[in-house]
Amino acid sequence: MALEVITELRLPLLMKEIVNKGIGQNQSELIRQNGLEMMIIVLIGALCGLLSVFFSTRAAQGFANDLRKDAFSRVVHLSFEQTDKFTIGSLVTRLTNDIEHLRILVSQSTRMFVRAIMLFGGGIIMMLSIDSSFSLILFIVLPIEVTLIFIFLKKAFPLFTIVQSSLDDVNAVMQENVSGARVVKAYVREAYEAKRFGVTNDALTNNSLRVSRIMAFIGPAMTLFLNITTIFILYWGGSKAIEGSGLQVGDVMAALNYIGMILMSVMMVAMIFQSITRAKASGARVKEVMNAIPSVKSGTVDASKYNGDIIFANVSFRYPSTGKPVLKNINLEIKKGEMLAVLGATGSGKTTLVNLIPRFYDVTDGAIFIGRENIQNFELTSLRKLFGMVPQKTELFSGSIIDNIRWGKPDATLEEVIEVCKVAQAHDFISSFKDGYDTIIGEKGSSLSGGQKQRIAIARAIIARPRYLIFDDSTSALDLSTEARLYQALSSFLHDTTVILIAQRVVSAKRAQRIAIIDNGSLVACDTHTNLLKTNAIYQDIYYSQLKDEG
Ligand SMILES: Nc1ncnc2c1ncn2[C@@H]1O[C@H](COP(=O)(O)OP(=O)(O)O)[C@@H](O)[C@H]1O
Ligand SMILES: [Mg+2]
């Protein structure tokens, strides 16, 4: 790159000689010689330029690649609380667009910055070597240019952050609508959602335009400035040349070239400053992700030996985002090997309750113990490996059915997979597919019915024969006879496993040894079906109303 700049600096000098001596004194040999040298120099310059672009681009891409990987692994490790706070849309922007701004900066700064400095310094030296009185012009022109640029950038900086956060909003709406496309269609909300998207998108456009408007001024302002300077030099240099004070036409031409280079290099630095300011805004946003220390901290005790009761001791919980108390003073003992059902109205806190056990969130007050050890002392991975979980919202991933089931046990053989699918009542429908277990299911399992997805998620949860199994309303989409067969098969497949079963239907809950009733965040009772039916008003209510519905 240095070579590239040197060749660039040499050109006006050669030209000056051609004009002064070649044309001025009719030395045609000199014209030919210098002309040839100029050609060679231009070619070398172009080649060097190409190489330096190539290397700086590679460096920048490598940098962006590493950064994205790091940021991604951060995001994967964020606790739920943090993902809630960042929002998915914003995380997507930060990992793509913001990192892109940083990449642009790296690719520019490695190249343009050095180049600009060299052109600037070289240009000044060369110009002064032609005639030292040019320093006067530089002295006037440069400060004005720098001030102008500074004013523009100062105006633009706060806008960059605003643009990025409006991009977050656009991504959020987009993401919601794409993943919820079916619901949007079913409720004929397209027009409404389009309008909502329009609002956020307009905001993004307006904010971007405000930035561009400021930036758009820089270019023309600089050109105008350059032209005025040119006229100035022409006038001043020209009159000096006519006076015959040693300044020749070629000198003035070369000086014009150099002043162009000098002003251009300042302009280049300004451009870099623009991407620095932009990258600074983006950098801060990426840094927030990189510095987000997961709020759920791993302990050191290896949980893999633990297999005791799960005890909730005075547990209270509020979501950090809302602060509203969701669970209040829960005291509950879940015996090793028992099946416990959790019953309660929607929003009463059932999902929250079970999410606390593998520490998706940490309790706000009280503590949870497994085999007498506070779960906060466990090494996180070993703790989570104890559980087979079927979340309320079935999450499958794009890929084949067998791949999805092997999430639960990556080295499972086909026989093992088939065995658990038989237990989960999934084998029959999977076999009926043309590609069987290799059937590719769309994103989030979009090609399967709700009940099919639930059964695949159950197979995935039980394949590793976990010590604790958590079903969060996991059989809600199954008809009663399939559900009955599933529990039948499950009880002979699992032996020592403790099962926590969140249910909406009393018929499902009745299978458990005990039923815990959650009402508005409090545990109101925990007993057998027979006892609850005798003593608990809430349970009686639910039981008889469902009995009526079943007819
Ligand atoms: N991620 C969250 N952030 C804030 N509040 C939440 C979150 N998830 C659930 N809630 C609130 O916590 C309460 C209990 O929710 P949940 O445990 O899902 O109930 P259930 O599973 O019994 O239907 C509800 O009021 C719900 O609005
Ligand atoms: Mg729930």
Side-chain angles (χ1 to χ4, degrees):
M1 179 168 58
L3 211 57
E4 185 195 357
V5 174
I6 290 171
T7 57
E8 233 166 289
L9 285 170
R10 174 123 180 90
L11 279 180
L13 220 58
L14 291 170
M15 207 160 71
K16 178 190 108 173
E17 294 221 309
I18 292 184
V19 175
N20 281 357
K21 299 199 183 131
I23 299 176
Q25 300 163 14
N26 271 329
Q27 295 180 12
S28 58
E29 181 58 24
L30 189 95
I31 297 184
R32 209 171 312 124
Q33 251 178 31
N34 279 9
L36 194 69
E37 194 184 332
M38 282 172 82
M39 291 273 271
I40 294 172
I41 279 181
V42 167
L43 283 179
I44 295 177
L47 189 70
C48 295
L50 213 67
L51 282 177
S52 78
V53 169
F54 177 74
F55 286 118
S56 64
T57 311
R58 270 187 73 127
Q61 290 291 3
F63 161 80
N65 187 330
D66 288 349
L67 191 59
R68 260 196 305 270
K69 260 190 242 158
D70 285 355
F72 179 76
S73 81
R74 277 281 160 192
V75 168
V76 179
H77 284 110
L78 290 181
S79 47
F80 284 22
E81 174 190 339
Q82 287 162 315
T83 346
D84 289 353
K85 211 169 70 197
F86 275 121
T87 75
I88 296 172
S90 174
L91 284 172
V92 171
T93 323
R94 286 167 205 243
L95 255 68
T96 51
N97 186 278
D98 282 313
I99 290 187
E100 180 63 11
H101 287 314
L102 294 175
R103 184 194 66 75
I104 293 173
L105 174 69
V106 172
S107 101
Q108 278 188 350
S109 64
T110 46
R111 207 181 110 67
M112 275 194 22
F113 199 66
V114 181
R115 194 178 134 83
I117 300 276
M118 284 169 66
L119 276 182
F120 183 75
I124 289 183
I125 294 173
M126 299 302 274
M127 196 170 170
L128 295 185
S129 74
I130 296 176
D131 190 315
S132 56
S133 58
F134 282 128
S135 61
L136 191 68
I137 298 182
L138 289 177
F139 206 68
I140 301 171
V141 169
L142 279 179
I144 303 181
E145 187 186 17
V146 172
T147 318
L148 273 177
I149 291 173
F150 183 74
I151 294 173
F152 281 127
L153 287 182
K154 203 167 159 65
K155 266 195 142 62
F157 180 67
L159 289 177
F160 288 138
T161 319
I162 299 178
V163 167
Q164 291 311 103
S165 73
S166 12
L167 194 58
D168 285 352
D169 296 343
V170 168
N171 277 346
V173 178
M174 176 88 86
Q175 197 249 337
E176 245 174 54
N177 272 281
V178 173
S179 61
R182 281 150 214 260
V183 184
V184 174
K185 283 204 197 332
Y187 285 84
V188 204
R189 294 273 286 188
E190 286 103 331
Y192 174 84
E193 287 298 315
K195 211 165 118 197
R196 189 158 80 103
F197 184 75
V199 172
T200 51
N201 197 27
D202 287 350
L204 173 64
T205 312
N206 287 336
N207 289 330
S208 305
L209 277 179
R210 277 164 68 197
V211 171
S212 320
R213 231 174 280 143
I214 294 180
M215 287 303 154
F217 267 108
I218 294 188
M222 288 302 131
T223 316
L224 182 71
F225 195 62
L226 184 63
N227 287 335
I228 293 175
T229 316
T230 307
I231 295 169
F232 192 51
I233 290 188
L234 271 179
Y235 177 75
W236 188 70
S239 49
K240 263 187 109 173
I242 292 168
E243 272 171 30
S245 57
L247 205 62
Q248 299 184 6
V249 182
D251 295 342
V252 178
M253 271 182 67
L256 277 181
N257 268 304
Y258 285 127
I259 192 90
M261 277 182 202
I262 295 169
L263 294 185
M264 264 305 288
S265 65
V266 175
M267 178 75 180
M268 266 157 69
V269 174
M271 297 263 295
I272 294 169
F273 268 109
Q274 183 205 324
S275 29
I276 288 180
T277 23
R278 190 174 276 253
K280 213 165 114 191
S282 288
R285 287 161 49 88
V286 175
K287 215 163 109 188
E288 261 175 26
V289 176
M290 301 298 265
N291 288 353
I293 299 162
S295 49
V296 172
K297 294 210 176 42
S298 181
T300 50
V301 180
D302 178 12
S304 61
K305 304 259 163 8
Y306 286 75
N307 184 16
D309 301 351
I310 299 176
I311 297 171
F312 281 71
N314 242 326
V315 169
S316 296
F317 179 76
R318 46 184 85 214
Y319 281 99
S321 51
T322 55
K324 198 183 74 167
V326 173
L327 294 175
K328 295 156 215 158
N329 292 317
I330 305 275
N331 284 296
L332 176 65
E333 279 187 38
I334 305 165
K335 295 263 175 274
K336 174 184 166 182
E338 90 167 317
M339 184 188 265
L340 175 88
V342 181
L343 199 70
T346 344
S348 55
K350 306 181 297 293
T351 299
T352 308
L353 181 83
V354 295
N355 278 348
L356 294 180
I357 311 175
R359 293 187 67 201
F360 292 150
Y361 294 91
D362 271 336
V363 298
T364 317
D365 245 317
I368 300 174
F369 299 88
I370 290 182
R372 295 182 187 284
E373 185 73 48
N374 188 328
I375 56 170
Q376 304 211 357
N377 298 335
F378 287 128
E379 197 275 315
L380 208 50
T381 325
S382 69
L383 170 71
R384 289 187 181 155
K385 276 196 179 143
L386 297 178
F387 298 92
M389 264 204 127
V390 185
Q392 184 161 22
K393 212 171 132 249
T394 319
E395 295 278 5
L396 298 180
F397 288 78
S398 49
S400 65
I401 290 181
I402 192 162
D403 284 347
N404 267 280
I405 294 170
R406 279 192 177 134
W407 271 58
K409 190 180 178 196
D411 58 352
T413 61
L414 180 63
E415 286 69 40
E416 284 178 87
V417 173
I418 293 178
E419 185 192 4
V420 292
C421 283
K422 282 183 174 158
V423 173
Q425 309 301 309
H427 180 67
D428 286 347
F429 79 80
I430 296 174
S431 316
S432 77
F433 293 150
K434 186 166 60 66
D435 294 328
Y437 282 86
D438 293 321
T439 304
I440 302 291
I441 51 183
E443 200 181 347
K444 296 190 171 194
S446 53
S447 53
L448 299 171
S449 78
Q452 291 171 335
K453 278 194 273 191
Q454 282 188 336
R455 282 175 277 173
I456 289 177
I458 291 172
R460 177 177 65 187
I462 61 176
I463 193 163
R465 294 178 191 261
R467 281 184 213 153
Y468 302 96
L469 196 58
I470 298 175
F471 277 11
D472 190 351
D473 214 5
S474 311
T475 52
S476 57
L478 303 188
D479 60 81
L480 289 180
S481 68
T482 310
E483 190 190 41
R485 279 200 306 275
L486 184 139
Y487 281 112
Q488 188 71 47
L490 203 59
S491 66
S492 52
F493 177 76
L494 301 168
H495 299 293
D496 265 348
T497 302
T498 311
V499 182
I500 304 170
L501 173 84
I502 295 178
Q504 296 284 345
R505 302 188 289 217
V506 176
V507 267
S508 313
K510 247 169 69 180
R511 296 174 207 289
Q513 276 118 2
R514 290 188 306 155
I515 303 170
I517 312 276
I518 306 284
D519 184 37
N520 196 15
S522 301
L523 176 70
V524 291
C526 184
D527 213 332
T528 61
H529 164 73
T530 330
N531 285 348
L532 285 173
L533 203 54
K534 273 188 230 147
T535 58
N536 190 277
I538 297 180
Y539 191 71
Q540 290 162 355
D541 256 8
I542 304 174
Y543 182 74
Y544 288 114
S545 72
Q546 290 193 0
L547 210 60
K548 245 196 341 258
D549 289 347
E550 312 254 309

